[in-house]
Amino acid sequence: MTFALHGLAVSHGIAIGRAHLISHATLEVEHYLLPERHVGEELARFDQAVAGVRTELDALMAHADPGAPAELTAFIDLYRMLLTDPLLTEATRALIRQQRCNAEWALVQQMEQIVAQFEQIEDEYLRERKADVVQVVERVLKMLMGRPGHPPAHAQGEHLIVVAHDLSPADAIQFKQWKIGGFVTDLGGATSHTAIVARSLAIPAVVGLHHARHLIYEDDMLIVDGARGVLIVDPDADVLEEYRRRKRALEAARAKLKRLKKAPAVTLDGVDIALAANIELPGDVAQVQAVNASGIGLFRTEFLFLNRDGMPGEEEQYAAYRGVVEAMAGNIVVIRTLDIGADKSPRGVDIARTGPNPALGQRAIRYCLAEPRLFLTQLRAILRASAHGPVRLLVPMLAHAHEIAQTLAMIEQAKAQLRERGQPFNAALEIGGMIEIPAAALALGVFLEKLDFLSIGTNDLIQYTLAIDRADETVAHLYDPLHPAVLRLIAHTIQAGARAGVPVAVCGEMAGDPQFTRLLLGMGLRIFSMHPAQIPEVKREVLRSNRAGLRRKVARLLALDDPVALRRRLARLNAAAD
Ligand code: PEP
Ligand code: MG
């Protein structure tokens, strides 16, 4: 029977294919009963998984980078201890025997018991150790289930649509290796990092569908309409034909836009506009070159830290950054320092560390300043890459003058370390700050004085201005890029930068959405950074715009408080001939 689910549109495009259901690496496990004769095999399967995790941890310990933080080895030790604790292993075996259930289910039942006991503990430190139990259990579950979520090789391809309750950015980035047609999730907001990865993959996706994972069966026929945020399940022949037609039309329109590849991005009144690319992994550079981007405006380096055990060391990071810089052959590469926390947490980073409200907790520069060894390692790697081409360093989530001062001091320290080693770097490396916290946008003085450039992160600026968790679909309807407060903060930052002679870019999702191109041009923006796939459409808008005229119109639009009038004015602005 055909039915449709409505969620949040994440990326343009239509995918038509068969459902593949996955559980991401959470504790969502199946429950089934076993015939008596299979209980012994199940126990052996469980023992093997535990032994497998023990081998993994031993290998991790043996290969730990000598410069790795002491906490990392302490964690590995703690995990090894938990793994041999009879409360976890023997009790799980007992449950498998008594209830004749599968090992995954028994393990999660036992974990919940242990976690409940931890919650009774008064000592906060000990109470928080429950997160370690959960992490160990996750590792065993992964071992039991194979790497969860990987579709079988024969099932991969553009006709496969992944259906999940939730996907972390770390899960989604793996889709860069598998080939899939699209994905849909029950949870997630349209500017969550999972959605951002979907956009960077240029695959259709819809998030915030609430019940998709329960309503859809493996192999169901699906249509993902990534532009409208609609998922159609089991479409009839007419609907299928209509969507096939729309898909062909979209592909033809995209192919036409490709002709703009060589055209310089200049407005009708002759203003050069830089259209740079956002990347997550070094492998994304090919896509950047394919659209002839002016450079890389945002390299989200934290993705190098996900889906792995332990943090990448200095040499590995240096090789990754240098590879990107060399591939970009003289074009600017803006490398952002680690922005972990909130929805991006590498394995081995204590969940408790990111706090009860992770988006407001120890994220990005706050985390880096609290982990100086890790931060210095990254700074040295970026500085060394700067010897190979025009690199700029960008710091996320700055709000306070003392954070800027501390960061600059750490950069000086990293430079001194490299000088001591005799390793080359660009001593005049430009340092920029992201403007993504309203406090920063409102008190720009110190940013303009101490930094060489600014880049507005509209995704977080909207989240923090409107107090909306960008990853939470239940408040997604309140996440509004056109809220007058958001627009005024963006315009103010661009204009203050222009007055002070400090270049300002926008690298949040607004920069890649063609419905905002003219609005941003009219605010005076000249540097946009977005997913490579979005560049052709934004360029088309730039080419048909008269910047001087837009500046006058946008000044009037910014004075509006009424959201309906504001939207109407924007629609007129976008529909106008220039
Ligand atoms: C932003 O916040 O707009 C941004 C570009 O950074 P991220 O999406 O990685 O938080
Ligand atoms: Mg951000």
Side-chain angles (χ1 to χ4, degrees), residues 332-335 382-383 386 390-395 408 411 415 426-433 450-454 502-503:
I332 291 169
V333 177
V334 179
I335 304 181
I382 297 173
L383 278 161
S386 75
V391 169
R392 291 186 185 159
L393 186 146
L394 178 63
V395 186
L408 294 178
I411 295 170
K415 285 182 180 173
N426 172 13
L429 173 78
E430 290 189 15
I431 318 289
K450 304 277 185 209
L451 298 170
D452 301 307
F453 67 97
L454 303 179
V502 173

PDB file of all heavy atoms in Angstrom, residues 332-335 382-383 386 390-395 408 411 415 426-433 450-454 502-503:
ATOM      1  N   ILE A 332      43.526  29.163  -2.010  1.00  0.00           N
ATOM      2  CA  ILE A 332      43.495  29.238  -0.545  1.00  0.00           C
ATOM      3  C   ILE A 332      42.774  28.027   0.066  1.00  0.00           C
ATOM      4  O   ILE A 332      41.739  27.585  -0.443  1.00  0.00           O
ATOM      5  CB  ILE A 332      42.787  30.540  -0.110  1.00  0.00           C
ATOM      6  CG1 ILE A 332      43.679  31.725  -0.473  1.00  0.00           C
ATOM      7  CG2 ILE A 332      42.462  30.538   1.390  1.00  0.00           C
ATOM      8  CD1 ILE A 332      43.022  33.060  -0.340  1.00  0.00           C
ATOM      9  N   VAL A 333      43.348  27.516   1.159  1.00  0.00           N
ATOM     10  CA  VAL A 333      42.711  26.419   1.908  1.00  0.00           C
ATOM     11  C   VAL A 333      42.549  26.878   3.360  1.00  0.00           C
ATOM     12  O   VAL A 333      43.535  27.132   4.051  1.00  0.00           O
ATOM     13  CB  VAL A 333      43.576  25.138   1.867  1.00  0.00           C
ATOM     14  CG1 VAL A 333      42.938  24.036   2.716  1.00  0.00           C
ATOM     15  CG2 VAL A 333      43.774  24.664   0.429  1.00  0.00           C
ATOM     16  N   VAL A 334      41.307  27.023   3.783  1.00  0.00           N
ATOM     17  CA  VAL A 334      41.041  27.439   5.167  1.00  0.00           C
ATOM     18  C   VAL A 334      40.828  26.165   5.993  1.00  0.00           C
ATOM     19  O   VAL A 334      39.865  25.425   5.767  1.00  0.00           O
ATOM     20  CB  VAL A 334      39.789  28.343   5.255  1.00  0.00           C
ATOM     21  CG1 VAL A 334      39.518  28.732   6.704  1.00  0.00           C
ATOM     22  CG2 VAL A 334      39.964  29.583   4.384  1.00  0.00           C
ATOM     23  N   ILE A 335      41.752  25.919   6.901  1.00  0.00           N
ATOM     24  CA  ILE A 335      41.664  24.705   7.722  1.00  0.00           C
ATOM     25  C   ILE A 335      41.112  25.102   9.090  1.00  0.00           C
ATOM     26  O   ILE A 335      41.687  25.947   9.782  1.00  0.00           O
ATOM     27  CB  ILE A 335      43.043  24.035   7.885  1.00  0.00           C
ATOM     28  CG1 ILE A 335      43.650  23.746   6.507  1.00  0.00           C
ATOM     29  CG2 ILE A 335      42.928  22.762   8.719  1.00  0.00           C
ATOM     30  CD1 ILE A 335      45.013  23.062   6.551  1.00  0.00           C
ATOM     31  N   ILE A 382      48.948  21.782  11.091  1.00  0.00           N
ATOM     32  CA  ILE A 382      48.423  22.804  10.158  1.00  0.00           C
ATOM     33  C   ILE A 382      49.549  23.767   9.758  1.00  0.00           C
ATOM     34  O   ILE A 382      49.708  24.111   8.582  1.00  0.00           O
ATOM     35  CB  ILE A 382      47.240  23.567  10.788  1.00  0.00           C
ATOM     36  CG1 ILE A 382      46.075  22.614  11.072  1.00  0.00           C
ATOM     37  CG2 ILE A 382      46.784  24.717   9.885  1.00  0.00           C
ATOM     38  CD1 ILE A 382      44.904  23.229  11.844  1.00  0.00           C
ATOM     39  N   LEU A 383      50.331  24.181  10.757  1.00  0.00           N
ATOM     40  CA  LEU A 383      51.436  25.104  10.452  1.00  0.00           C
ATOM     41  C   LEU A 383      52.399  24.482   9.444  1.00  0.00           C
ATOM     42  O   LEU A 383      52.838  25.131   8.492  1.00  0.00           O
ATOM     43  CB  LEU A 383      52.188  25.456  11.746  1.00  0.00           C
ATOM     44  CG  LEU A 383      51.540  26.555  12.594  1.00  0.00           C
ATOM     45  CD1 LEU A 383      52.063  26.523  14.018  1.00  0.00           C
ATOM     46  CD2 LEU A 383      51.798  27.934  11.962  1.00  0.00           C
ATOM     47  N   SER A 386      51.245  24.673   6.057  1.00  0.00           N
ATOM     48  CA  SER A 386      51.266  26.034   5.496  1.00  0.00           C
ATOM     49  C   SER A 386      52.556  26.309   4.725  1.00  0.00           C
ATOM     50  O   SER A 386      52.661  27.299   4.016  1.00  0.00           O
ATOM     51  CB  SER A 386      51.055  27.079   6.590  1.00  0.00           C
ATOM     52  OG  SER A 386      52.235  27.218   7.373  1.00  0.00           O
ATOM     53  N   PRO A 390      48.996  28.303   0.199  1.00  0.00           N
ATOM     54  CA  PRO A 390      48.307  29.350   0.967  1.00  0.00           C
ATOM     55  C   PRO A 390      47.243  28.794   1.932  1.00  0.00           C
ATOM     56  O   PRO A 390      46.082  28.652   1.573  1.00  0.00           O
ATOM     57  CB  PRO A 390      47.668  30.218  -0.112  1.00  0.00           C
ATOM     58  CG  PRO A 390      47.511  29.318  -1.279  1.00  0.00           C
ATOM     59  CD  PRO A 390      48.580  28.266  -1.202  1.00  0.00           C
ATOM     60  N   VAL A 391      47.699  28.487   3.142  1.00  0.00           N
ATOM     61  CA  VAL A 391      46.790  27.959   4.165  1.00  0.00           C
ATOM     62  C   VAL A 391      46.338  29.103   5.061  1.00  0.00           C
ATOM     63  O   VAL A 391      47.096  30.034   5.321  1.00  0.00           O
ATOM     64  CB  VAL A 391      47.543  26.904   5.021  1.00  0.00           C
ATOM     65  CG1 VAL A 391      46.749  26.522   6.264  1.00  0.00           C
ATOM     66  CG2 VAL A 391      47.856  25.673   4.194  1.00  0.00           C
ATOM     67  N   ARG A 392      45.088  29.017   5.521  1.00  0.00           N
ATOM     68  CA  ARG A 392      44.629  29.915   6.600  1.00  0.00           C
ATOM     69  C   ARG A 392      44.053  29.053   7.696  1.00  0.00           C
ATOM     70  O   ARG A 392      43.505  27.980   7.419  1.00  0.00           O
ATOM     71  CB  ARG A 392      43.581  30.878   6.086  1.00  0.00           C
ATOM     72  CG  ARG A 392      44.221  31.858   5.147  1.00  0.00           C
ATOM     73  CD  ARG A 392      43.301  32.946   4.687  1.00  0.00           C
ATOM     74  NE  ARG A 392      44.031  33.728   3.701  1.00  0.00           N
ATOM     75  CZ  ARG A 392      43.472  34.498   2.799  1.00  0.00           C
ATOM     76  NH1 ARG A 392      42.160  34.597   2.748  1.00  0.00           N
ATOM     77  NH2 ARG A 392      44.198  35.185   1.955  1.00  0.00           N
ATOM     78  N   LEU A 393      44.184  29.520   8.913  1.00  0.00           N
ATOM     79  CA  LEU A 393      43.719  28.723  10.047  1.00  0.00           C
ATOM     80  C   LEU A 393      42.478  29.382  10.638  1.00  0.00           C
ATOM     81  O   LEU A 393      42.448  30.598  10.851  1.00  0.00           O
ATOM     82  CB  LEU A 393      44.855  28.646  11.069  1.00  0.00           C
ATOM     83  CG  LEU A 393      44.680  27.748  12.282  1.00  0.00           C
ATOM     84  CD1 LEU A 393      46.028  27.156  12.680  1.00  0.00           C
ATOM     85  CD2 LEU A 393      44.099  28.500  13.460  1.00  0.00           C
ATOM     86  N   LEU A 394      41.452  28.583  10.862  1.00  0.00           N
ATOM     87  CA  LEU A 394      40.170  29.128  11.329  1.00  0.00           C
ATOM     88  C   LEU A 394      39.785  28.472  12.657  1.00  0.00           C
ATOM     89  O   LEU A 394      39.871  27.251  12.798  1.00  0.00           O
ATOM     90  CB  LEU A 394      39.104  28.836  10.267  1.00  0.00           C
ATOM     91  CG  LEU A 394      37.669  29.276  10.553  1.00  0.00           C
ATOM     92  CD1 LEU A 394      37.572  30.800  10.692  1.00  0.00           C
ATOM     93  CD2 LEU A 394      36.739  28.820   9.412  1.00  0.00           C
ATOM     94  N   VAL A 395      39.350  29.281  13.608  1.00  0.00           N
ATOM     95  CA  VAL A 395      39.066  28.764  14.949  1.00  0.00           C
ATOM     96  C   VAL A 395      37.561  28.841  15.215  1.00  0.00           C
ATOM     97  O   VAL A 395      36.963  29.914  15.117  1.00  0.00           O
ATOM     98  CB  VAL A 395      39.835  29.596  16.001  1.00  0.00           C
ATOM     99  CG1 VAL A 395      39.664  28.980  17.390  1.00  0.00           C
ATOM    100  CG2 VAL A 395      41.301  29.697  15.631  1.00  0.00           C
ATOM    101  N   LEU A 408      45.802  32.393  20.308  1.00  0.00           N
ATOM    102  CA  LEU A 408      46.956  32.986  19.624  1.00  0.00           C
ATOM    103  C   LEU A 408      48.250  32.594  20.342  1.00  0.00           C
ATOM    104  O   LEU A 408      49.273  32.321  19.701  1.00  0.00           O
ATOM    105  CB  LEU A 408      46.807  34.509  19.540  1.00  0.00           C
ATOM    106  CG  LEU A 408      45.636  35.002  18.667  1.00  0.00           C
ATOM    107  CD1 LEU A 408      45.542  36.533  18.696  1.00  0.00           C
ATOM    108  CD2 LEU A 408      45.772  34.515  17.214  1.00  0.00           C
ATOM    109  N   ILE A 411      49.164  29.136  19.335  1.00  0.00           N
ATOM    110  CA  ILE A 411      49.726  29.089  17.972  1.00  0.00           C
ATOM    111  C   ILE A 411      51.208  29.508  18.022  1.00  0.00           C
ATOM    112  O   ILE A 411      52.063  28.899  17.383  1.00  0.00           O
ATOM    113  CB  ILE A 411      48.906  29.975  17.008  1.00  0.00           C
ATOM    114  CG1 ILE A 411      47.488  29.394  16.864  1.00  0.00           C
ATOM    115  CG2 ILE A 411      49.580  30.084  15.638  1.00  0.00           C
ATOM    116  CD1 ILE A 411      46.491  30.283  16.151  1.00  0.00           C
ATOM    117  N   LYS A 415      54.460  27.325  16.966  1.00  0.00           N
ATOM    118  CA  LYS A 415      55.493  27.824  16.048  1.00  0.00           C
ATOM    119  C   LYS A 415      56.876  27.656  16.684  1.00  0.00           C
ATOM    120  O   LYS A 415      57.832  27.239  16.016  1.00  0.00           O
ATOM    121  CB  LYS A 415      55.264  29.310  15.748  1.00  0.00           C
ATOM    122  CG  LYS A 415      54.111  29.578  14.798  1.00  0.00           C
ATOM    123  CD  LYS A 415      54.019  31.079  14.549  1.00  0.00           C
ATOM    124  CE  LYS A 415      52.889  31.426  13.602  1.00  0.00           C
ATOM    125  NZ  LYS A 415      52.684  32.880  13.476  1.00  0.00           N
ATOM    126  N   ASN A 426      54.731  28.702   7.455  1.00  0.00           N
ATOM    127  CA  ASN A 426      54.556  30.096   7.069  1.00  0.00           C
ATOM    128  C   ASN A 426      54.354  30.942   8.331  1.00  0.00           C
ATOM    129  O   ASN A 426      53.295  30.876   8.965  1.00  0.00           O
ATOM    130  CB  ASN A 426      53.338  30.210   6.134  1.00  0.00           C
ATOM    131  CG  ASN A 426      52.968  31.646   5.844  1.00  0.00           C
ATOM    132  OD1 ASN A 426      53.752  32.567   6.139  1.00  0.00           O
ATOM    133  ND2 ASN A 426      51.786  31.849   5.297  1.00  0.00           N
ATOM    134  N   ALA A 427      55.358  31.731   8.670  1.00  0.00           N
ATOM    135  CA  ALA A 427      55.299  32.495   9.926  1.00  0.00           C
ATOM    136  C   ALA A 427      54.172  33.515   9.886  1.00  0.00           C
ATOM    137  O   ALA A 427      53.676  33.950  10.928  1.00  0.00           O
ATOM    138  CB  ALA A 427      56.633  33.191  10.177  1.00  0.00           C
ATOM    139  N   ALA A 428      53.754  33.916   8.671  1.00  0.00           N
ATOM    140  CA  ALA A 428      52.710  34.942   8.565  1.00  0.00           C
ATOM    141  C   ALA A 428      51.329  34.317   8.351  1.00  0.00           C
ATOM    142  O   ALA A 428      50.407  34.967   7.862  1.00  0.00           O
ATOM    143  CB  ALA A 428      53.046  35.883   7.414  1.00  0.00           C
ATOM    144  N   LEU A 429      51.189  33.044   8.702  1.00  0.00           N
ATOM    145  CA  LEU A 429      49.905  32.338   8.523  1.00  0.00           C
ATOM    146  C   LEU A 429      48.747  33.185   9.075  1.00  0.00           C
ATOM    147  O   LEU A 429      48.805  33.644  10.221  1.00  0.00           O
ATOM    148  CB  LEU A 429      49.975  31.011   9.297  1.00  0.00           C
ATOM    149  CG  LEU A 429      48.695  30.198   9.378  1.00  0.00           C
ATOM    150  CD1 LEU A 429      48.464  29.455   8.073  1.00  0.00           C
ATOM    151  CD2 LEU A 429      48.781  29.190  10.523  1.00  0.00           C
ATOM    152  N   GLU A 430      47.725  33.369   8.245  1.00  0.00           N
ATOM    153  CA  GLU A 430      46.593  34.201   8.705  1.00  0.00           C
ATOM    154  C   GLU A 430      45.672  33.391   9.598  1.00  0.00           C
ATOM    155  O   GLU A 430      45.363  32.229   9.314  1.00  0.00           O
ATOM    156  CB  GLU A 430      45.825  34.731   7.496  1.00  0.00           C
ATOM    157  CG  GLU A 430      46.642  35.761   6.740  1.00  0.00           C
ATOM    158  CD  GLU A 430      45.838  36.477   5.670  1.00  0.00           C
ATOM    159  OE1 GLU A 430      44.592  36.403   5.682  1.00  0.00           O
ATOM    160  OE2 GLU A 430      46.474  37.119   4.820  1.00  0.00           O
ATOM    161  N   ILE A 431      45.219  34.042  10.675  1.00  0.00           N
ATOM    162  CA  ILE A 431      44.365  33.361  11.655  1.00  0.00           C
ATOM    163  C   ILE A 431      42.989  34.028  11.636  1.00  0.00           C
ATOM    164  O   ILE A 431      42.882  35.249  11.738  1.00  0.00           O
ATOM    165  CB  ILE A 431      44.916  33.525  13.100  1.00  0.00           C
ATOM    166  CG1 ILE A 431      46.439  33.373  13.165  1.00  0.00           C
ATOM    167  CG2 ILE A 431      44.190  32.600  14.078  1.00  0.00           C
ATOM    168  CD1 ILE A 431      46.955  32.006  12.961  1.00  0.00           C
ATOM    169  N   GLY A 432      41.962  33.201  11.526  1.00  0.00           N
ATOM    170  CA  GLY A 432      40.603  33.750  11.515  1.00  0.00           C
ATOM    171  C   GLY A 432      39.747  33.124  12.597  1.00  0.00           C
ATOM    172  O   GLY A 432      40.096  32.093  13.179  1.00  0.00           O
ATOM    173  N   GLY A 433      38.614  33.761  12.834  1.00  0.00           N
ATOM    174  CA  GLY A 433      37.697  33.234  13.846  1.00  0.00           C
ATOM    175  C   GLY A 433      36.314  33.043  13.249  1.00  0.00           C
ATOM    176  O   GLY A 433      35.888  33.816  12.382  1.00  0.00           O
ATOM    177  N   LYS A 450      42.172  41.536  16.586  1.00  0.00           N
ATOM    178  CA  LYS A 450      43.197  40.494  16.785  1.00  0.00           C
ATOM    179  C   LYS A 450      43.287  39.479  15.642  1.00  0.00           C
ATOM    180  O   LYS A 450      44.247  38.736  15.563  1.00  0.00           O
ATOM    181  CB  LYS A 450      42.898  39.692  18.069  1.00  0.00           C
ATOM    182  CG  LYS A 450      42.778  40.525  19.316  1.00  0.00           C
ATOM    183  CD  LYS A 450      44.145  40.807  19.885  1.00  0.00           C
ATOM    184  CE  LYS A 450      44.037  41.532  21.213  1.00  0.00           C
ATOM    185  NZ  LYS A 450      45.155  42.386  21.499  1.00  0.00           N
ATOM    186  N   LEU A 451      42.248  39.403  14.823  1.00  0.00           N
ATOM    187  CA  LEU A 451      42.237  38.331  13.829  1.00  0.00           C
ATOM    188  C   LEU A 451      42.360  38.881  12.411  1.00  0.00           C
ATOM    189  O   LEU A 451      42.041  40.047  12.161  1.00  0.00           O
ATOM    190  CB  LEU A 451      40.949  37.505  13.966  1.00  0.00           C
ATOM    191  CG  LEU A 451      40.796  36.805  15.329  1.00  0.00           C
ATOM    192  CD1 LEU A 451      39.411  36.208  15.494  1.00  0.00           C
ATOM    193  CD2 LEU A 451      41.858  35.715  15.511  1.00  0.00           C
ATOM    194  N   ASP A 452      42.794  38.005  11.497  1.00  0.00           N
ATOM    195  CA  ASP A 452      43.017  38.446  10.117  1.00  0.00           C
ATOM    196  C   ASP A 452      41.776  38.343   9.251  1.00  0.00           C
ATOM    197  O   ASP A 452      41.673  38.988   8.215  1.00  0.00           O
ATOM    198  CB  ASP A 452      44.132  37.599   9.485  1.00  0.00           C
ATOM    199  CG  ASP A 452      45.426  37.713  10.269  1.00  0.00           C
ATOM    200  OD1 ASP A 452      45.859  38.859  10.507  1.00  0.00           O
ATOM    201  OD2 ASP A 452      45.988  36.678  10.672  1.00  0.00           O
ATOM    202  N   PHE A 453      40.874  37.442   9.610  1.00  0.00           N
ATOM    203  CA  PHE A 453      39.627  37.307   8.828  1.00  0.00           C
ATOM    204  C   PHE A 453      38.567  36.649   9.695  1.00  0.00           C
ATOM    205  O   PHE A 453      38.872  36.078  10.759  1.00  0.00           O
ATOM    206  CB  PHE A 453      39.863  36.479   7.547  1.00  0.00           C
ATOM    207  CG  PHE A 453      40.189  35.034   7.789  1.00  0.00           C
ATOM    208  CD1 PHE A 453      39.214  34.051   7.718  1.00  0.00           C
ATOM    209  CD2 PHE A 453      41.495  34.639   8.100  1.00  0.00           C
ATOM    210  CE1 PHE A 453      39.521  32.714   7.942  1.00  0.00           C
ATOM    211  CE2 PHE A 453      41.809  33.306   8.322  1.00  0.00           C
ATOM    212  CZ  PHE A 453      40.817  32.343   8.240  1.00  0.00           C
ATOM    213  N   LEU A 454      37.317  36.752   9.257  1.00  0.00           N
ATOM    214  CA  LEU A 454      36.206  36.141   9.990  1.00  0.00           C
ATOM    215  C   LEU A 454      35.404  35.257   9.044  1.00  0.00           C
ATOM    216  O   LEU A 454      35.385  35.489   7.829  1.00  0.00           O
ATOM    217  CB  LEU A 454      35.274  37.222  10.562  1.00  0.00           C
ATOM    218  CG  LEU A 454      35.911  38.261  11.491  1.00  0.00           C
ATOM    219  CD1 LEU A 454      34.852  39.272  11.936  1.00  0.00           C
ATOM    220  CD2 LEU A 454      36.559  37.604  12.702  1.00  0.00           C
ATOM    221  N   VAL A 502      38.628  43.939   7.322  1.00  0.00           N
ATOM    222  CA  VAL A 502      38.866  42.522   7.649  1.00  0.00           C
ATOM    223  C   VAL A 502      37.925  41.669   6.791  1.00  0.00           C
ATOM    224  O   VAL A 502      36.705  41.837   6.866  1.00  0.00           O
ATOM    225  CB  VAL A 502      38.586  42.270   9.160  1.00  0.00           C
ATOM    226  CG1 VAL A 502      38.661  40.783   9.495  1.00  0.00           C
ATOM    227  CG2 VAL A 502      39.564  43.061  10.021  1.00  0.00           C
ATOM    228  N   PRO A 503      38.458  40.772   5.962  1.00  0.00           N
ATOM    229  CA  PRO A 503      37.569  39.970   5.107  1.00  0.00           C
ATOM    230  C   PRO A 503      36.615  39.106   5.932  1.00  0.00           C
ATOM    231  O   PRO A 503      37.004  38.541   6.957  1.00  0.00           O
ATOM    232  CB  PRO A 503      38.536  39.077   4.320  1.00  0.00           C
ATOM    233  CG  PRO A 503      39.882  39.668   4.494  1.00  0.00           C
ATOM    234  CD  PRO A 503      39.874  40.450   5.763  1.00  0.00           C
TER     235      PRO A 503
END
